[in-house]
Amino acid sequence: MSQLSIRSQSHNYDVVIETGVRHQLDKWITKPYSSVLIVTDRNVSEHYLQDVVTSMEKVSTVHTALVPSGEASKSMGKYQELLDRCIETSLDRQSLIIALGGGMIGDLAGFVASTYLRGIDFIQMPTTILAHDSSVGGKVAVNHVQGKNLIGSFYSPVQVLYDIETLRTLPETELRSGYGEVMKHAMLSDSAWLEELLGRSITSLEDNQLIGDLEKGIRVKASIVEKDEREQGMRKFLNLGHTLAHAIEAELGYGEITHGEAVSIGLLFALQLSETRVNASGLPIKDYVNWMARNGYPLSSIQSLQPVALLKRMKVDKKTVNQQVHFVLLNEIGKACVVPIQDDVLLTELHRFQTEVVNV
Amino acid sequence: MSQLSIRSQSHNYDVVIETGVRHQLDKWITKPYSSVLIVTDRNVSEHYLQDVVTSMEKVSTVHTALVPSGEASKSMGKYQELLDRCIETSLDRQSLIIALGGGMIGDLAGFVASTYLRGIDFIQMPTTILAHDSSVGGKVAVNHVQGKNLIGSFYSPVQVLYDIETLRTLPETELRSGYGEVMKHAMLSDSAWLEELLGRSITSLEDNQLIGDLEKGIRVKASIVEKDEREQGMRKFLNLGHTLAHAIEAELGYGEITHGEAVSIGLLFALQLSETRVNASGLPIKDYVNWMARNGYPLSSIQSLQPVALLKRMKVDKKTVNQQVHFVLLNEIGKACVVPIQDDVLLTELHRFQTEVVNV
């Protein structure tokens, strides 16, 4: 079991990582709520909704709301449907929303909670490894047809309850996706932990390894976000690996590759750039490529993409300033910086990435 | 000219009350914004939009968005249309939204600003006296078909710029509406100011009187909200007069009577109840009724309504606890309290209100 306290601008909250939490919600949720709405998706509901309902019914009146699985549900339409459901079930200011699912459910249900009656309590129950990242930091949102996360709020949960049993049903590609962000958090913080991770096989993780990795990842995210909730400064470091990752996702078409898998490739590119652009030395590039290969990361997916097309995608990144792409790089493991990179340099580096680094 | 500093949970902001502010926005808005979206309604736009555009164009790229006048525009539909407009005009995190209008525009545009890109700056430019109340306190929202203000946020503007020239085109009923809330603020705070107000004719106010009344009203609102932004305790006092007012508005049909006029009648009932239920003495009931009559307040509108019907409306008030209506009353001017009132007592008091007090 692991329990962390996170500080947000408005309040402090606990993250509990434990086996079987979903069966003991009456123990973990200590505030009395007049009623509860559990928001989840159809995939997750098949496995875990009944457990959560049974456990919550011991302490409150329970309602449920299901949305289809997948990023398409993070929409204004589903946002409105859920608000209607809040009203239909007469949620009041003493009610609670539980977001049971991955990042999509957390973002969607969190945005509903942040605006229903000008904000009611919500609890995150993440069911993916990837969601260790999104469940901390207070960003909630829905997508607009013109772009991801364009409508949202900064609104933190009152608790994050992580039942690691719910991670045992994840397909391998979701394990890889989650460990993409875990790797990022290790590279931003701690070379000893990174070395440990590079020894792991993600399909044979023990409970204590998984709990430890989630806890360390959340600590890294939390320590940065506590200092810079509104992304004025160092929160930008959390974009390590994401500039290329977003370009890959967009260029391949959303859903063709998981977010965390794209991030894992973006991290490798950031390591390469760190060596050539800020003269970092001693980065474990080779070990990291080998780890990716051993764990089935789709390294080759970058090969089919044109450097010019990737560059064009990177230019519309939120971190682009005055038409110049800004990259988060590493001076060393645990020490990030933001560096502008010129277009021609980027094209050359992308070409080298495809021909040399990825083929190590 | 008057300038107040208001403290909110997230930041401090200034309220400027001045003649002709709309012509000098380049002077008052000191932060550089990449672009500006001015949100207003068709009525206000005819009088003042061009002035605001001309003045803002000196310092930024200016876009506009018009919605129809009236409460019906405070809807999810208009909220979405405005978000689309934000995206269409490429507002970014360094952009500004200006809410030019009364309370409806402030609530609607403020909610858009609070959720676009997880929150961008917005400035309130109130064009009604009533909006002195809503422009301070950080409540923004839209209505749902099932109820008013059900979807919203707590989100404060970065500035409130009150151009009192824009109040000079208000119809008399809007002057009365605004002074309903001004009276409430006086009753909650200051008997000397209340006495002054009772001597005023609202159709012949001098600039310095109007500026002074707005400033005092905003100070009362701000001092309460600064202590209790989320309405856990004393912010409830701001509901003085509102329990009956909401019932009157609902019973007559929204729009049949202005909000502030309904509040003015609710205040009179609260004064009566304060005498009988908390033994307040020395309340200026007679002077207040005379002031209302002299200024054309629609006192008689209460006469057509059934006490039983009003009671039923009051039972669904947000302040009702365990089916018992709770009233904000006055021990004396400047000293409020919250008191539960039994149904039969309320019916008797409503009957007496209709037959005796209103007919003084």
Side-chain angles (χ1 to χ4, degrees), chain A residues 80 84 115 117 144 150 152, chain B residues 80 84 115 117-118 144 150 152:
Chain A
Q80 281 203 61
D84 291 346
T115 55
L117 304 181
H144 186 275
L150 292 185
Chain B
Q80 283 204 57
D84 290 344
T115 55
L117 304 181
R118 297 200 183 89
H144 187 274
L150 293 186

Side-chain angles (χ1 to χ4, degrees), chain B residues 6 57 73 134 144 162 171 223 226 235 255 263 311 337 354:
Chain B
I6 312 283
E57 277 180 344
S73 285
S134 56
H144 187 274
Y162 227 125
S223 78
E226 283 174 357
R235 187 164 183 163
V263 168
L311 175 64
C337 54
Q354 290 181 320

Side-chain angles (χ1 to χ4, degrees), chain A residues 218-291:
Chain A
I218 289 170
R219 270 194 211 285
V220 174
K221 173 83 180 264
S223 77
I224 291 176
V225 169
E226 284 174 358
K227 288 174 200 131
D228 177 26
E229 189 162 304
R230 299 297 171 118
E231 198 164 330
Q232 310 292 307
M234 69 183 294
R235 187 165 184 163
K236 291 195 178 82
F237 294 163
L238 294 172
N239 291 309
L240 181 69
H242 281 63
T243 307
L244 180 59
H246 288 151
I248 294 172
E249 285 181 271
E251 203 50 23
L252 287 175
Y254 286 102
E256 286 303 306
I257 185 172
T258 63
H259 175 64
E261 286 173 314
V263 169
S264 71
I265 300 170
L267 290 174
L268 183 59
F269 185 56
L271 292 180
Q272 171 192 314
L273 273 184
S274 298
E275 281 194 340
T276 57
R277 307 313 301 171
V278 296
N279 300 317
S281 63
L283 299 176
I285 298 196
K286 215 158 193 167
D287 291 347
Y288 179 60
V289 180
N290 289 335
W291 174 84

Side-chain angles (χ1 to χ4, degrees), chain B residues 5 20 77 99 107 116 120 130 135 177 224-225 231 242 244 250 284 289 296 306 324 338 346:
Chain B
S5 179
D107 281 5
Y116 179 65
I120 64 171
L130 189 69
S135 64
S177 183
I224 290 176
V225 168
E231 198 162 331
H242 281 62
L244 181 59
V289 181
Q306 294 299 321
Q324 192 150 45
V338 179
L346 257 185

Side-chain angles (χ1 to χ4, degrees), chain B residues 112-299:
Chain B
V112 171
S114 78
T115 55
Y116 179 65
L117 304 181
R118 297 200 183 89
I120 64 171
D121 281 2
F122 91 108
I123 287 177
Q124 297 250 23
M125 292 191 66
T127 59
T128 65
I129 296 170
L130 189 69
H132 87 278
D133 184 48
S134 56
S135 64
V136 172
K139 286 185 176 177
V140 295
V142 296
N143 301 326
H144 187 274
V145 282
Q146 297 297 325
K148 287 182 79 168
N149 297 325
L150 293 186
I151 323 293
S153 313
F154 286 92
Y155 196 76
S156 290
V158 294
Q159 266 181 320
V160 178
L161 300 176
Y162 227 125
D163 185 342
I164 62 155
E165 275 180 8
T166 65
L167 308 177
R168 291 305 182 189
T169 46
L170 289 174
E172 213 173 301
T173 181
E174 275 299 324
L175 294 177
R176 277 195 292 270
S177 183
Y179 265 79
E181 291 282 0
V182 170
M183 272 292 176
K184 180 192 82 177
H185 287 134
M187 289 180 189
L188 284 171
S189 64
D190 181 347
S191 57
W193 176 32
L194 179 59
E195 206 172 304
E196 264 180 58
L197 287 177
L198 292 173
R200 295 237 204 297
S201 162
I202 58 166
T203 50
S204 57
L205 295 163
E206 289 166 24
D207 273 7
N208 65 337
Q209 290 177 327
L210 187 53
I211 291 178
D213 291 339
L214 291 174
E215 183 188 331
K216 288 199 189 84
I218 288 170
R219 269 192 210 284
V220 173
K221 173 84 180 264
S223 78
I224 290 176
V225 168
E226 283 174 357
K227 287 175 201 130
D228 176 28
E229 189 162 303
R230 299 297 171 117
E231 198 162 331
Q232 310 292 309
M234 69 182 294
R235 187 164 183 163
K236 291 196 178 81
F237 294 163
L238 294 172
N239 290 309
L240 181 69
H242 281 62
T243 308
L244 181 59
H246 287 151
I248 294 172
E249 286 182 271
E251 203 49 25
L252 286 176
Y254 286 101
E256 285 304 305
I257 185 172
T258 63
H259 175 66
E261 286 173 315
V263 168
S264 72
I265 298 170
L267 290 174
L268 183 58
F269 185 57
L271 292 180
Q272 172 193 312
L273 272 183
S274 298
E275 280 194 339
T276 57
R277 308 311 303 171
V278 296
N279 301 315
S281 64
L283 298 176
I285 298 196
K286 216 161 191 163
D287 290 347
Y288 180 60
V289 181
N290 289 336
W291 175 84
M292 288 179 76
R294 225 166 53 237
N295 285 286
Y297 280 85
L299 263 168

Side-chain angles (χ1 to χ4, degrees), chain A residues 305-335:
Chain A
L305 304 176
Q306 293 300 319
V308 174
L310 290 169
L311 175 65
K312 205 175 150 196
R313 296 281 185 180
M314 291 193 267
K315 300 277 263 194
V316 297
D317 188 275
K318 283 195 212 104
K319 292 172 294 304
T320 293
V321 181
N322 295 327
Q323 287 293 305
Q324 193 149 42
V325 184
H326 283 58
F327 262 82
V328 182
L329 299 181
L330 295 172
N331 292 111
E332 56 189 80
I333 296 302
K335 207 169 153 201

